Amino acid sequence: MKNWVSVIIFSFMKGLVRIMSDTIAAISTAIGEAGIGIVRMSGKESLDIANKLFKGKKIEKLTESYNRRLVYGHIIDPKNSEIIDEVLIAFMKEPYTYTRENMVEIYCHGGIIPVRRILDLVLEYGSRLAEPGEFTKRAFLNGRLDLAQSEAVIDLIRAKTDKSYKVSLDQLEGNLSKKIEEIRNILLEMIAHIEASIDFPEEDIEEITYEELEEKGRIVYEKIGKLLQTADRGKILRDGLNAVILGKPNVGKSSLLNAILRENRAIVTNIPGTTRDIIEEYVNIDGIPLKVIDTAGIRTTDDIVEKIGVDRAKEMVDKADLIIAVFDASNELTEEDYQIIDIVKNRKSIVLLNKTDLPNKYDENLLKELIPDKEIIVTSIISGIGIDRLENAIKKMFYSGNLLVESDILITNLRHKNQLIKAKKNIEEGINGITSNMPLDCIEVDIKNCWKNLGEISGDTVGEDILDKIFSEFCIGK
Ligand SMILES: Nc1nc2c(ncn2[C@@H]2O[C@H](COP(=O)(O)OP(=O)(O)OP(=O)(O)O)[C@@H](O)[C@H]2O)c(=O)[nH]1
Ligand SMILES: [Mg+2]
């Protein structure tokens, strides 16, 4: 076992002790009007840079003895002694910081100008602009967070409902990592026993039997399978559902969007072809983040702008988790309706028969015949009738019961899911090897691969390219 484990541990340690010599800086709060804005620095020079720019009301210089204390004063441009802003400043001494490096945070006024000018100064006086996610990347490389926890940070920031927030928080607390480590420990035990049997066959070490290996392999297989089962629910919680509203012009699609959002987001008129572009908004339906997408009415048109809108609507259909098809009950089925029926036939969809407050010209039975397996909800969106039924149907369709069972660990991240799929495949091959009495060293290859696959979730065995990809998806300043 020594060689490959030491190679992995060595490369990991190299990452850990890698000297990230330059000091990075970024605006860590959202840009816009706000009470407070924060400019943050991390790295060896952060205290020195701060001291070039900060003048305290009561103290001349910030020193390490001010660790974790807020100090009041001004940021002053050394070139011309111009006061840039009145601030509070905090120095945090390594290693007990987010990045495990020396950090300085400057709390200034939250307008675009003060944060921008303070950032410009800290860059001018010795720091460089942080890359997206670089603070968290340093926290990872310096061993403060593992990779799954680091990924939870960005999920937490982007969480759209309380439930998805809770799942991210659990992951940040390390619950997923613990689960993964538990499985990897079983694998490590298996590997250790196999290695001992191979390396010291003549010594009096109790050899692991194939039965014992199989039993452990099956436990691993089952545990991975259980985690994978949560991935669909996890994805919905994290990314939400894409629900595309589809229908011919004037059936009430934009009215539906507004009714779901309970605000007048989209323009509604009685002129067919009102909506020409995609309108997307999030709404929280009992913990499920639902991205509702209003589209241009589907029809053949010579109007260039409208035509682009119709093409976009059709593109959205491919990405949709759910199609809400709207039909107008006060008119007969038209050619365009048949097009919509064709699209929804083989897709996860809910059908709304709208404008039922008007005299009915629609043959509902015909619709039922054309799409027999679809739930048809009768609505009068203009009077708010049927919206609750639609919401219930969505809930029922995507998750019957509780979306988040207490103490559940959910796989929310596609990268984790893919690693688990690989790990499951490798342990499955390992078990096949065991049951067909393959030589131990062959079996060991599969078990090691499974161990490595899982290690990529926690970041224990992960390449620089994957790290770069993960952190590039972060926002700057985190
Ligand atoms: N009577 C009645 N009118 C409705 C109902 N729902 C929507 N409307 C009206 O139908 C017209 C068209 O509504 P929209 O929501 O703009 O329809 P749309 O499908 O978005 O239309 P396009 O954007 O042109 O594709 C408006 O005048 C609405 O007030 C309903 O349930 N009953
Ligand atoms: Mg519209």
Side-chain angles (χ1 to χ4, degrees), residues 60 158 201 207 228 301 306 325 343 422:
E60 195 55 36
R158 295 199 177 133
E207 272 194 26
L228 268 173
T301 168
E306 193 183 350
I343 294 174
K422 284 187 209 161

Side-chain angles (χ1 to χ4, degrees), residues 253-255 266-268 274-275 294-297:
K253 298 181 294 303
S254 302
S255 308
I267 299 172
V268 168
T274 300
T275 309
D294 181 21
T295 60

Side-chain angles (χ1 to χ4, degrees), residues 202-256:
E202 65 287 344
E203 284 179 33
D204 203 14
I205 296 169
E206 202 187 319
E207 272 194 26
I208 189 158
T209 62
Y210 274 63
E211 287 73 37
E212 283 168 312
L213 274 179
E214 185 182 342
E215 193 188 320
K216 286 201 158 80
R218 292 206 186 279
I219 293 173
V220 168
Y221 181 82
E222 204 172 291
K223 284 183 185 285
I224 295 176
K226 266 200 183 140
L227 279 178
L228 268 173
Q229 272 171 14
T230 68
D232 288 346
R233 257 188 306 154
K235 184 185 176 300
I236 293 173
L237 264 185
R238 178 181 185 247
D239 302 334
L241 289 171
N242 281 340
V244 174
I245 307 175
L246 208 64
K248 69 180 175 192
N250 217 38
V251 291
K253 298 181 294 303
S254 302
S255 308
L256 177 64

